[in-house]
């Protein structure tokens, strides 16, 4: 009996310790996120647009962006891979930019071999889905969270849309990432992508063209952050683009599920779906995300312009990066002289996205 009491006390102490650890991280996370900020809320109410809700079941980006936005030359959409709704946003934003200002070059986080196949698929008179399927499956080698049925369906929609365009206005995919079998250079991916992008522009004489692309979140940030002085793709291409010609738009998720295949860094559940990788914690935290929750509804996608007149984001760092607990480094600038709109200019807030589904 005495041994059982000792064991019971040990288990009770371990349980209390576990609960204290959970409480500590919960309080720490809540303090970091904060509740809401009145100044931010006042501004955001006037600079947002619901572009999708499940009842209407269609996207509408018209009437939101201003002349400064459309005058830019490069538009970068940043995502945390694995959320299904982002594939729809990618298609709708690219289509919108094509219709409004004729953007036809899609810069992709893939190598030249895969982009060549995608262009072959887009330009084929018959929709050859075996080509598309091979590209989507190959993407597993670099971005396993993105290789999915929704990615496949997005490029099917781009194919159909491309068929409606004139010969001179057809879409071209520019793959700027490192080839899978290229081991000749010991450079970061962002460095390689920027060099490849510059080389393509010069080789094809595209200096006067506009470009759009979907990348992982960190690649589209326009300032470096606190990970060994990491310089994202968007920072690097500033050196050979016009001043203020890049617009960075990022996707944040709430109440959503993410697709997470087996990997060495994070234990994946049996169905490969997780609901703990939203930007309100416990793993990923975006300071100011509760302001966006306050102003949005479930099952919707809302865009926020952080860079308009009298924006508080010109002088604070809310929404300007992601703090990461347990797995990986923070994606946050440590400089007190860098503000949110120096890093990114627009946020898509996605509520209740489903996870991508493996193809």
């Amino acid at each position: 009996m005495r041994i059982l009491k000792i064991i019971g006390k040990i288990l009770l102490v371990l349980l209390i310790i576990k609960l204290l650890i959970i409480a500590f991280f919960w309080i720490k996370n809540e303090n970091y996120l904060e509740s809401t900020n009145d100044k931010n809320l006042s501004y955001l109410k006037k600079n947002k647009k619901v572009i999708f809700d499940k009842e209407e079941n269609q996207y509408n980006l018209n009437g939101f962006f201003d002349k400064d936005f459309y005058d830019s030359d490069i538009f970068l959409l940043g995502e945390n891979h694995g959320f299904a709704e982002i594939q729809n946003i990618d298609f709708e934003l690219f289509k919108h930019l094509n219709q409004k200002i004729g953007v036809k070059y899609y810069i992709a986080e893939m190598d030249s071999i895969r982009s060549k196949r995608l262009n072959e698929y887009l330009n084929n008179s018959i929709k050859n889905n075996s080509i598309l399927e091979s590209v989507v499956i190959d993407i597993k080698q670099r971005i396993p969270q993105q290789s999915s049925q929704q990615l496949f369906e997005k490029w099917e929609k781009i194919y159909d849309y491309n068929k409606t365009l004139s010969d001179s206005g057809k879409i071209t995919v520019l793959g700027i990432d490192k080839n899978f079998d290229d081991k000749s250079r010991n450079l970061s991916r962002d460095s390689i992508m920027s060099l490849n992008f510059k080389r393509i522009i010069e080789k094809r004489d595209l200096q006067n063209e506009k470009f759009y692309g979907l990348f992982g979140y960190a690649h589209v940030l326009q300032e470096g952050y606190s990970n060994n002085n990491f310089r994202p793709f968007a920072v690097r291409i500033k050196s050979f683009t016009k001043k203020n010609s890049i617009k960075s738009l990022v996707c944040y998720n709430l109440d959503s599920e993410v697709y997470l295949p087996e990997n060495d860094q994070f234990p994946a559940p049996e169905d490969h779906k997780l609901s703990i990788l939203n930007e309100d914690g416990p793993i990923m935290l975006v300071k100011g995300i509760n302001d966006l929750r306050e102003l949005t509804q479930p099952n919707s996608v809302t865009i926020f312009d952080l860079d308009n007149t009298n924006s508080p984001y010109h002088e604070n760092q809310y929404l300007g990066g992601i703090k990461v607990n347990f797995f990986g480094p923070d994606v946050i600038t440590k400089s007190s002289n860098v503000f949110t709109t120096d890093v990114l200019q627009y946020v898509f807030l996605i509520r209740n996205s489903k996870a991508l589904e493996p193809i």
Side-chain angles (χ1 to χ4, degrees), residues 187-203:
L187 298 174
S188 70
R189 283 183 60 212
D190 288 75
S191 177
I192 289 171
M193 288 194 293
S194 63
L195 291 171
N196 286 341
F197 184 41
K198 183 179 182 181
R199 187 176 297 111
I200 289 171
I201 290 175
E202 293 172 347
K203 184 178 180 180

Side-chain angles (χ1 to χ4, degrees), residues 231-250:
R231 295 180 66 234
F233 169 71
V235 173
R236 294 172 184 274
I237 63 176
K238 280 184 175 183
S239 63
F240 57 88
T241 55
K242 300 172 188 175
K243 186 178 181 182
N244 299 324
S245 67
I246 303 173
K247 288 293 183 288
S248 295
L249 310 91
V250 302

Side-chain angles (χ1 to χ4, degrees), residues 153-348:
E153 292 169 358
K154 177 187 72 180
W155 282 104
E156 276 194 303
K157 289 194 293 184
I158 292 176
Y159 174 94
D160 293 337
Y161 177 69
N162 195 46
K163 296 290 284 185
T164 71
L165 302 176
S166 65
D167 289 343
S168 61
K170 295 293 187 186
I171 293 164
T172 299
V173 182
L174 305 176
I176 62 172
D177 213 336
K178 185 176 182 177
N179 291 337
F180 294 151
D181 57 354
D182 181 3
K183 297 178 174 61
S184 61
R185 291 179 293 177
N186 187 25
L187 298 174
S188 70
R189 283 183 60 212
D190 288 75
S191 177
I192 289 171
M193 288 194 293
S194 63
L195 291 171
N196 286 341
F197 184 41
K198 183 179 182 181
R199 187 176 297 111
I200 289 171
I201 290 175
E202 293 172 347
K203 184 178 180 180
R204 302 192 187 189
D205 195 22
L206 302 179
Q207 288 84 353
N208 296 318
E209 293 291 345
K210 293 177 182 283
F211 305 89
Y212 167 84
L214 170 68
F215 291 84
Y217 175 86
H219 301 302
V220 310
L221 303 183
Q222 294 180 35
E223 288 288 340
Y225 60 90
S226 57
N227 178 16
N228 299 321
N229 297 315
F230 178 80
R231 295 180 66 234
F233 169 71
V235 173
R236 294 172 184 274
I237 63 176
K238 280 184 175 183
S239 63
F240 57 88
T241 55
K242 300 172 188 175
K243 186 178 181 182
N244 299 324
S245 67
I246 303 173
K247 288 293 183 288
S248 295
L249 310 91
V250 302
C251 297
Y252 290 145
N253 293 269
L254 292 175
D255 312 311
S256 299
E257 282 190 326
V258 67
Y259 168 55
L260 190 74
E262 296 289 344
N263 64 86
D264 297 330
Q265 293 182 314
F266 201 96
E270 189 173 342
D271 64 357
H272 303 295
K273 295 178 182 179
L274 277 178
S275 58
I276 60 171
L277 290 180
N278 291 277
E279 274 74 29
D280 61 346
I283 308 298
M284 296 162 50
L285 308 171
V286 171
K287 195 177 187 68
I289 196 73
N290 285 323
D291 294 330
L292 305 188
R293 179 184 287 281
E294 178 78 11
L295 297 176
T296 57
Q297 297 296 321
N299 301 304
S300 67
V301 179
T302 306
I303 187 170
F304 294 87
D305 180 356
L306 307 185
D307 200 25
N308 212 338
T309 305
N310 298 322
S311 171
Y313 298 97
H314 291 154
E315 53 191 30
N316 68 38
Q317 294 183 343
Y318 287 91
L319 303 177
I322 300 177
K323 180 177 175 57
V324 181
N325 286 326
F326 311 118
F327 301 94
D330 295 340
V331 190
I332 301 171
T333 178
K334 293 294 186 182
S335 173
S336 59
N337 297 320
V338 173
F339 303 111
T340 300
T341 51
D342 298 321
V343 180
L344 56 93
Q345 293 77 44
Y346 296 84
V347 169
F348 289 96

